[in-house]
Amino acid sequence: MKRAILIAVLAAFLGMGCSTQPVKTVWLDEMDLSTMETGWGSNHVKKSVDRNPLTINGTVYERGVGTHAISKYMVDLGGKGRRFMATVGVDDEVKGKASLEFFVLGDKKILWQSGIMTDTTAALPVDIDIRGVKKLALLVTDGGDNINFDHANWADARFEIRGDTILALPQAVAGEPYILTPPVGDAPRINGPSVTGATPGRPFMYKIPVTGKRPMTIIAANLPAGLSMDPATGVITGKVKQEGEYLVDVRAKNEAGEAARTLKIIIGKHKLALTPPMGWNSWNNWACAVDQEKVKASADAMVSHGLIEHGWCYINIDDCWQSSERTKAGELLPNEKFPDIKGLADHVHSLGLKIGIYSSPGPTTCAGYPGSYKFELRDAQTWANWGMDYIKYDWCGYSRVVEDNTLEAYQKPYRVMREALDRVDRDIVYSLCQYGMKDVSAWGAEVGGDLWRTTGDIGDSWNSLSSIGFAQDKNSPYAGPSAWNDPDMLVLGYVGWGASLSPTRLTPDEQYSHISLWSLLAAPLLLGCDMERLDDFTLNLITNDEVIAVNQDALGKQAVPLVREDGMEVWVKELEDGSKAAGVFYTGSSNTDPVEMFNWDEGKTSRKITVDLAALGFAGKCTVRDLWRQQELGAFTGTFDTEVPFHGVTLVKITATE
Ligand code: GAL
């Protein structure tokens, strides 16, 4: 009995962290931070997220970590911790714009929270007792608004422990990539949207994407006057003078079979981007390390990987292509990395692809190159002369010249460029980029945009992707043909925002969720990866025609979340044929409850989810098709069950049969 009491006392003594090991200080900035998630940019040791010295209200801190909301980090203390200390606050680099909140959590409880902090809030000291805590989590939330400018510093952050090291705990275990999409068959299949459009009298180009064995003959009957098609490539070119809607019969034939489909061509004013643009953009991969060779190689790879036959068609150059000075006559020129931009555009067009470019309404772009401020018409003309088909127009330097804080002042530069684009003799898709300010989705179409960014920049983490993607419901009502909400570009494949790229940090399940959610959201699909390094898994993700068809559906509806509960969400998109696409996501965490934002339990690998078909608008019998596997799951009434991986998705098409 005495012996049992002694053991119990000893166990309690050790359990309280009172082991005989000496107390050691472990600084956050010397720990493994590879699992620390950040909502934007990258975390930096002893530096802010923008790589400045860690500074809160004028005080510079030598040690600590600069991160960005939503930021999450979990460690395994195993009960050996004693104290956690830090000084927290918003970094001075974002004057007047941030609002965020710091939390320290232990074993599913909030141990400390800062309250909402802005750049004027004094730095707050944290000093908490963490004895007995097994799993500890550091969290910075967006303070309930959005993550824009939420640069957060864990200055002087350190743990006192009795032990040697502290292990970081990943929130999701990667698992092996697995391919669900069946290989493309030999018989022809006509892909791409069922509708495309152009302005009367302007150059028209549309490549009909067709998969299947070559040689193949493609025929387009009833083309409007002024257009013709190359039967070997399926590229339609020309000019149509007459406004109207033209129904074209497309047929594709090879030795393995034949396929037919109707393509609607709408000729009218502002009829570009009738379905969300699909293509590639240089930013998430090369950022300012972009050059002409890389753009050309990306276009060539778009064709050699066969992506062009699945509807991928834009090759968009982002920032850093410009020369630092305009000519005396005010002309904007490319820099030395683009010795022949017109030749590049011609090459891209010769492949049946389209090409895009980037500028800012401000005097400078984000990377500090000349913007189009006061040169709008001139620049629009330059891009038209080069043969550009798409312009991303990024606010950035305009914040220095914006007249005031009114809605009109925020709309003005976008109206000015719209007018300029209308005056040049070329169809140029107009992509607004101003990170969602002043609810741009409510007026992006009114100022003549074809699409508009609704958020800050995406990063290759589940945290970033899910906090952006699952917050898009408020923008849904505004989506439609030539009016797309843009939750930013894809983060699949090799990404890196610079000269050296690495595989995305998203797990395979998270990548399935990424494409599924962006398809349901009718979001522009712009790859941001090294096109020459596309592995089979990534190719499988971006060549599933049934998934792409959800994105490209001509009705142009954006999905809405019809079920949201306890770590799962079901997003439903109405389709032109009367059916609905539904994504059943096992998010495993909440985006608002600090405790539920973490995965505390090991072994969260998948979950059986019962989908209530009535909640999705299906009263009677319906058929359910698994879009990733391209397989019928059968007929269901009332509910259907699906096993969904952690951070993964089941994407289905549901059709009422009675
Ligand atoms: C950001 C924009 C990014 C990229 C970058 C270029 O403002 O959100 O997508 O275009 O500028 O400097």
Side-chain angles (χ1 to χ4, degrees):
M1 181 66 182
K2 257 191 195 160
R3 197 180 136 94
I5 291 171
L6 189 70
I7 290 170
V9 169
L10 200 66
F13 182 70
L14 290 172
M16 283 169 66
C18 302
S19 84
T20 49
Q21 276 192 280
V23 176
K24 179 178 167 186
T25 298
V26 178
W27 290 81
L28 183 63
D29 58 28
E30 59 193 19
M31 290 169 59
D32 169 13
L33 297 175
S34 60
T35 58
M36 180 185 262
E37 296 183 15
T38 168
W40 182 85
S42 340
N43 301 307
H44 295 298
V45 162
K46 300 179 187 169
K47 291 264 186 290
S48 69
V49 82
D50 271 349
R51 288 203 171 84
N52 295 310
L54 292 165
T55 314
I56 308 172
N57 270 339
T59 305
V60 175
Y61 296 82
E62 292 300 317
R63 303 206 64 162
V65 173
T67 185
H68 195 290
I70 293 171
S71 170
K72 296 187 200 175
Y73 187 51
M74 185 180 268
V75 294
D76 183 4
L77 286 178
K80 63 191 175 198
R82 290 174 60 86
R83 284 171 81 190
F84 173 72
M85 287 160 286
T87 302
V88 300
V90 174
D91 196 280
D92 284 4
E93 67 199 2
V94 287
K95 280 260 164 278
K97 290 170 179 164
S99 87
L100 48 77
E101 189 166 13
F102 290 83
F103 291 85
V104 182
L105 303 109
D107 298 332
K108 300 190 185 176
K109 286 194 198 73
I110 297 176
L111 304 180
W112 184 89
Q113 89 188 77
S114 65
I116 302 288
M117 297 185 81
T118 67
D119 64 297
T120 54
T121 317
L124 278 178
V126 189
D127 186 351
I128 51 176
D129 186 339
I130 53 170
R131 276 177 294 180
V133 171
K134 296 206 163 49
K135 288 182 185 170
L136 181 132
L138 302 180
L139 169 69
V140 187
T141 69
D142 64 2
D145 50 6
N146 56 52
I147 67 163
N148 294 352
F149 306 104
D150 287 350
H151 295 216
N153 294 342
W154 291 101
D156 285 345
R158 59 208 189 272
F159 294 87
E160 273 183 15
I161 59 163
R162 282 192 192 274
D164 284 332
T165 48
I166 304 176
L167 286 181
L169 289 174
Q171 286 293 290
V173 180
E176 285 302 307
Y178 57 100
I179 289 176
L180 295 179
T181 304
V184 168
D186 281 348
R189 185 190 148 107
I190 303 169
N191 298 310
S194 62
V195 63
T196 188
T199 311
R202 286 191 180 165
F204 178 99
M205 186 180 106
Y206 178 75
K207 147 94 181 112
I208 301 169
V210 188
T211 48
K213 203 169 171 197
R214 267 48 185 183
M216 167 129 39
T217 306
I218 304 173
I219 302 164
N222 302 333
L223 278 171
L227 297 188
S228 60
M229 196 199 63
D230 176 340
T233 61
V235 178
I236 306 173
T237 51
K239 273 183 196 176
V240 188
K241 283 205 194 98
Q242 196 57 42
E243 279 200 18
E245 295 194 6
Y246 302 90
L247 295 181
V248 180
D249 290 325
V250 180
R251 270 164 211 285
K253 204 173 164 185
N254 68 5
E255 64 173 41
E258 206 173 327
R261 226 178 115 179
T262 303
L263 172 70
K264 189 194 276 185
I265 297 183
I266 304 183
I267 303 294
K269 201 160 182 259
H270 291 172
K271 294 293 177 198
L272 305 187
L274 292 174
T275 61
M278 290 175 65
W280 171 89
N281 169 294
S282 55
W283 189 253
N284 289 355
N285 39 121
W286 309 114
C288 282
V290 65
D291 61 35
Q292 185 168 312
E293 273 316 302
K294 288 188 176 111
V295 177
K296 179 177 177 294
S298 306
D300 292 342
M302 193 72 106
V303 177
S304 63
H305 284 302
L307 293 175
I308 188 172
E309 305 298 353
H310 296 273
W312 298 90
C313 71
Y314 285 97
I315 297 291
N316 293 350
I317 310 166
D318 208 282
D319 208 349
C320 307
W321 62 269
Q322 316 85 330
S323 152
S324 54
E325 301 281 337
R326 287 176 180 271
T327 63
K328 276 207 181 97
E331 201 184 342
L332 185 55
L333 298 175
N335 58 37
E336 64 293 343
K337 294 189 298 165
F338 289 85
D340 181 11
I341 204 157
K342 170 86 174 74
L344 175 65
D346 290 346
H347 175 73
V348 170
H349 290 143
S350 75
L351 298 172
L353 298 169
K354 296 191 171 188
I355 183 161
I357 202 152
Y358 166 101
S359 190
S360 169
T364 53
T365 67
C366 290
Y369 290 94
S372 297
Y373 184 59
K374 298 203 181 223
F375 291 93
E376 292 84 0
L377 183 57
R378 182 155 208 127
D379 289 355
Q381 194 62 63
T382 302
W383 303 325
N385 292 345
W386 289 341
M388 293 297 158
D389 305 294
Y390 187 112
I391 174 71
K392 172 173 169 182
Y393 208 43
D394 188 1
W395 177 270
C396 241
Y398 196 78
S399 52
R400 295 200 336 254
V401 292
V402 62
E403 281 151 26
D404 51 49
N405 196 27
T406 59
L407 175 61
E408 291 69 36
Y410 275 66
Q411 292 177 334
K412 185 174 161 188
Y414 290 102
R415 291 189 194 277
V416 173
M417 181 50 80
R418 173 73 267 166
E419 237 183 272
L421 294 172
D422 285 342
R423 286 171 62 187
V424 302
D425 183 27
R426 187 162 185 90
D427 271 345
I428 300 181
V429 169
Y430 190 24
S431 158
L432 318 188
C433 177
Q434 48 82 288
Y435 339 115
M437 291 186 295
K438 301 224 181 268
D439 289 328
V440 65
S441 43
W443 50 265
E446 188 197 318
V447 300
D450 295 308
L451 62 153
W452 41 82
R453 272 273 292 281
T454 55
T455 71
D457 291 15
I458 198 169
D460 61 328
S461 71
W462 173 251
N463 183 14
S464 171
L465 148 59
S466 62
S467 56
I468 288 177
F470 292 116
Q472 292 304 310
D473 45 319
K474 60 180 186 301
N475 302 317
S476 287
Y478 305 107
S482 302
W484 309 108
N485 296 306
D486 174 4
D488 206 4
M489 299 171 288
L490 300 168
V491 279
L492 306 166
Y494 277 76
V495 293
W497 295 269
S500 92
L501 309 186
S502 340
T504 178
R505 289 179 298 155
L506 297 176
T507 67
D509 291 321
E510 292 168 351
Q511 295 182 58
Y512 275 110
S513 288
H514 191 13
I515 290 286
S516 304
L517 185 54
W518 262 236
S519 295
L520 288 161
L521 292 174
L525 297 180
L526 291 170
L527 298 163
C529 58
D530 183 347
M531 295 294 289
E532 293 182 290
R533 268 197 285 181
L534 288 170
D535 58 18
D536 289 348
F537 173 71
T538 313
L539 277 169
N540 143 73
L541 286 170
I542 57 181
T543 54
N544 183 318
D545 297 306
E546 296 193 23
V547 175
I548 294 174
V550 171
N551 177 268
Q552 293 292 301
D553 187 74
L555 192 60
K557 291 273 186 193
Q558 177 174 324
V560 287
L562 291 184
V563 183
R564 286 194 128 156
E565 58 191 47
D566 184 26
M568 60 85 89
E569 313 213 355
V570 185
W571 286 64
V572 179
K573 182 183 199 282
E574 288 173 37
L575 302 173
E576 195 188 18
D577 66 2
S579 67
K580 295 181 184 182
V584 185
F585 296 90
Y586 174 25
T587 58
S589 62
S590 145
N591 276 328
T592 47
D593 178 337
V595 173
E596 292 302 320
M597 284 169 98
F598 285 93
N599 180 13
W600 296 95
D601 306 312
E602 272 151 43
K604 255 193 192 177
T605 52
S606 71
R607 174 170 149 184
K608 183 174 149 196
I609 294 179
T610 299
V611 179
D612 175 3
L613 289 164
L616 274 47
F618 293 94
K621 201 168 171 189
C622 38
T623 58
V624 178
R625 182 170 174 85
D626 181 326
L627 295 182
W628 279 111
R629 293 182 175 80
Q630 301 185 344
Q631 240 171 46
E632 294 299 332
L633 296 180
F636 298 82
T637 314
T639 59
F640 85 93
D641 290 339
T642 175
E643 191 74 24
V644 189
F646 182 65
H647 286 182
V649 63
T650 297
L651 182 67
V652 292
K653 179 166 172 168
I654 310 174
T655 313
T657 52
E658 65 180 30

